[in-house]
Amino acid sequence: MKAGGLRCSAWYTSGLHTSADQELGEPMDHMTPRERVLTALNRQVPDRVPFELSFGAFAPALLDTFVRKTGALDPAEYWNFPVRSVCFRAEPKHVLWRRYASYYPAELPVGANISPFGVVESPGSTEHFVKFTHPLQTATNDDEVAAYPFPDPAEPAFYAHLKGAVNSLHMRDLAAQGELYCTLFETAWAIRGMQELLVDFLINAPMAEILLDRLTAMRVVQARQYAEAGVDVLRLGDDIAMQTGMIMSTDTWRYWVKPRLARIVHAAREVKPDIHIFYHSDGNCRAVIGDLIEIGVTVLNPVQPECMDPAEIKATFGDRLAFWGTIGTQTTMPFATPEEVRATVKQRIETVGKGGGLLIAPTHVLEPEVPWDNIIAFVAAVDEYGAVAS
């Protein structure tokens, strides 16, 4: 099937009936895209499994392929993904550099950006990878951490547009997600340096406490702002795991991260009790899935199949948790045949999607090695197998 034909005929735009439906004379209950997402995340059975292509969908080289193949510019619009992001506005680069320049010895490197927290991101070894320069890497005392200039989350310029952006998505029957990735741990180590932060956990506790507490206070305000704007999903996350297990011990995570993350979740829920709390961590984070559920996480992403069995995770936690992802970007998407991609999608829908609770997607950005035919196979398989038995 050609890409253009796929978009025009797919269930998520046309509400296509299956042949079995037609033979039985029992038309499906057609949901809007937003209803489909919320039903799945509520661990109920939607008319079809919702899907997306994760994290901006494509690495730059593959995005060029998408544009060339389809003539379109935006994968989300082209395939009508049922959920879209709203984000805080960023300050101009020159404003950020003026605030943080004293933490660096020279001007920004060519091609570099600077994050809202003053982390310089320089071009890395390949097109979309970056190298971090950590502004507090050489800090030696509590006062330096306490004096570091965080952005002011109460500044209306950052968030005043959010409610209108959410309303616009809802008017299109799309679910709205508020992006608050790199919630705590990743932003903290980006500022301090990962080795330095982990050492602080052990021997410089006051420095770590000041940094994480300041960051948590900001995230609490931002979580409330997203909830007040009416987002359906608050997307939190930190990569806290490797493929073999946690980056830090579970006790360390429970001491340093869990209670602060719980404050952020609670802040959003105080404003909007039915908000879905999405949590992202690559790798094998199974050791703390129960803890995430305990503090109010309702959606786990990406359930990386190279290191966790999605069917087993569903069987163990599926009565309390929905799942978003499950299609491997280290294995299935780049290296399987289109037929194998289709078989994997079918298996995930029949296992993780059984009884509801699945938004199916690749587990991360699709890298340049992913064949175009595998992307088409993924979308076509969701179309073909997307009706889920209750």
Side-chain angles (χ1 to χ4, degrees), residues 118-248:
V119 178
V120 169
E121 302 170 353
S122 304
S125 58
T126 191
E127 53 187 6
H128 57 296
F129 293 168
V130 296
K131 298 176 181 177
F132 288 169
T133 305
H134 313 288
L136 285 182
Q137 189 164 27
T138 60
T140 58
N141 60 70
D142 305 352
D143 290 342
E144 290 179 81
V145 180
Y148 187 72
F150 270 37
D152 179 5
E155 172 54 55
F158 293 140
Y159 68 88
H161 66 290
L162 289 176
K163 190 171 185 59
V166 171
N167 288 342
S168 294
L169 292 175
H170 286 171
M171 289 178 66
R172 297 173 60 195
D173 288 321
L174 299 172
Q177 57 191 10
E179 301 284 0
L180 211 56
Y181 277 136
C182 301
T183 311
L184 291 172
F185 177 62
E186 285 195 76
T187 295
W189 73 248
I191 293 170
R192 177 72 171 122
M194 182 179 284
Q195 178 174 301
E196 288 75 13
L197 181 66
L198 293 175
V199 169
D200 289 346
F201 285 171
L202 295 175
I203 63 174
N204 297 316
M207 291 179 67
E209 287 170 355
I210 292 168
L211 180 58
L212 285 173
D213 285 347
R214 293 187 66 203
L215 184 55
T216 300
M218 180 175 180
R219 295 311 198 195
V220 162
V221 173
Q222 292 177 313
R224 288 191 181 121
Q225 289 165 346
Y226 273 135
E228 288 165 355
V231 298
D232 302 294
V233 182
L234 178 63
R235 286 169 59 119
L236 308 178
D238 289 300
D239 285 338
I240 56 173
M242 307 170 288
Q243 302 213 171
T244 55
M246 297 286 287
I247 288 174
M248 66 196 89

Side-chain angles (χ1 to χ4, degrees), residues 342-360:
R342 292 170 63 88
T344 301
V345 170
K346 183 175 186 290
Q347 181 189 54
R348 294 287 188 269
I349 288 173
E350 291 176 345
T351 54
V352 184
K354 179 74 171 177
L358 173 64
L359 192 152
I360 197 165

